[in-house]
Amino acid sequence: NAGVMQNPRHLVRRRGQEARLRCSPMKGHSHVYWYRQLPEEGLKFMVYLQKENIIDESGMPKERFSAEFPKEGPSILRIQQVVRGDSAAYFCASSPSGYKVDGYTFGSGTRLTVV
Amino acid sequence: GESVGLHLPTLSVQEGDNSIINCAYSNSASDYFIWYKQESGKGPQFIIDIRSNMDKRQGQRVTVLLNKTVKHLSLQIAATQPGDSAVYFCAEAPSGGSYIPTFGRGTSLIVHP
């Protein structure tokens, strides 16, 4: 059981470029959550997805950010036209059920640096 | 708005001592309270949780205490070890609906050998 896999671990982008972060949930998990963590801060919820559906995107910025979780393949968090303020660690979590803490597991994150 | 926050940003202890990490919350609708440990370069790792109908729960070397009267949560680590050095977050989740924990800012625990 490889756990929640995120890649890349580190990503450097110039201002104005696009960043694509990938998350493969644990085997048997169909619920995926994305969080952002700024330095010295806690994790802030961004979006919750199930296969092919966005369930809750209340924490997602209205512009430049999008997320998907296709029927096949990993979940993707996409940030268009990145700015310096997007520099952060982005964590993905997955769970077998959307309603319990049991099995809610985080990946090791992608650290995005915008230069 | 309502939030989860921690009292101390950094806690330094000697190996073998007991550690107590505190957390205040303000959302009275919260049903679940969870402690996570985050080591450098890694994602948060579940430690222990407690439901709002309990005031104490014990795990291996860890105890979580919940005081609903003053909306206070604490994590006690017995016989702290260097491997316990990490940032600890409390999180809360409301009853019903999807489980999406809201995290506090975190406390950095430093264990000196």
Side-chain angles (χ1 to χ4, degrees):
Chain A
N1 191 342
V4 178
M5 303 301 292
Q6 289 189 250
N7 64 83
R9 288 298 304 274
H10 301 274
L11 182 61
V12 179
R13 284 288 177 266
R14 295 187 183 278
R15 280 177 294 172
Q17 290 185 321
E18 178 180 287
R20 291 171 68 88
L21 288 63
R22 288 176 291 277
C23 170
S24 295
M26 287 184 68
K27 186 177 181 180
H29 288 194
S30 59
H31 301 253
V32 166
Y33 311 77
W34 286 94
Y35 292 79
R36 176 165 60 179
Q37 184 177 33
L38 295 172
E40 305 292 315
E41 297 288 334
L43 279 72
K44 303 297 183 187
F45 167 75
M46 299 180 74
V47 62
Y48 162 33
L49 310 102
Q50 278 185 274
K51 285 287 187 181
E52 300 184 278
N53 289 304
I54 295 175
I55 307 301
D56 183 341
E57 56 182 348
S58 58
M60 196 83 123
K62 298 299 181 192
E63 298 178 347
R64 302 189 297 108
F65 286 72
S66 62
E68 62 177 8
F69 189 15
K71 187 176 180 181
E72 301 292 336
S75 175
I76 306 289
L77 179 67
R78 182 182 179 200
I79 311 172
Q80 295 178 291
Q81 299 173 340
V82 296
V83 300
R84 289 237 171 99
D86 296 333
S87 295
Y90 292 83
F91 289 94
C92 167
S94 74
S95 76
S97 159
Y99 301 102
K100 296 181 180 180
V101 67
D102 296 352
Y104 199 94
T105 306
F106 283 90
S108 293
T110 292
R111 279 137 190 92
L112 173 65
T113 303
V114 180
V115 297
Chain B
E2 295 181 314
S3 64
V4 178
L6 298 179
H7 291 301
L8 298 174
T10 303
L11 177 64
S12 292
V13 300
Q14 290 295 130
E15 181 178 2
D17 287 352
N18 296 331
S19 302
I20 300 175
I21 301 172
N22 296 302
C23 176
Y25 68 94
S26 58
N27 187 350
S28 56
S30 295
D31 185 45
Y32 255 128
F33 301 90
I34 315 99
W35 282 99
Y36 286 92
K37 173 186 180 183
Q38 186 177 26
E39 296 175 281
S40 180
K42 296 183 179 181
Q45 178 184 7
F46 171 88
I47 301 173
I48 192 168
D49 64 351
I50 188 168
R51 297 203 70 142
S52 59
N53 61 353
M54 302 170 67
D55 54 21
K56 181 179 180 179
R57 191 171 186 208
Q58 288 185 292
Q60 189 176 21
R61 282 202 307 119
V62 295
T63 301
V64 56
L65 299 177
L66 175 63
N67 186 331
K68 293 180 287 294
T69 303
V70 295
K71 295 180 182 175
H72 184 267
L73 188 69
S74 68
L75 176 70
Q76 300 178 1
I77 305 174
T80 315
Q81 303 168 359
D84 294 328
S85 293
V87 177
Y88 290 80
F89 294 95
C90 68
E92 55 92 11
S95 58
S98 302
Y99 174 71
I100 300 176
T102 299
F103 285 80
R105 186 168 172 239
T107 291
S108 176
L109 175 65
I110 301 171
V111 182
H112 301 281

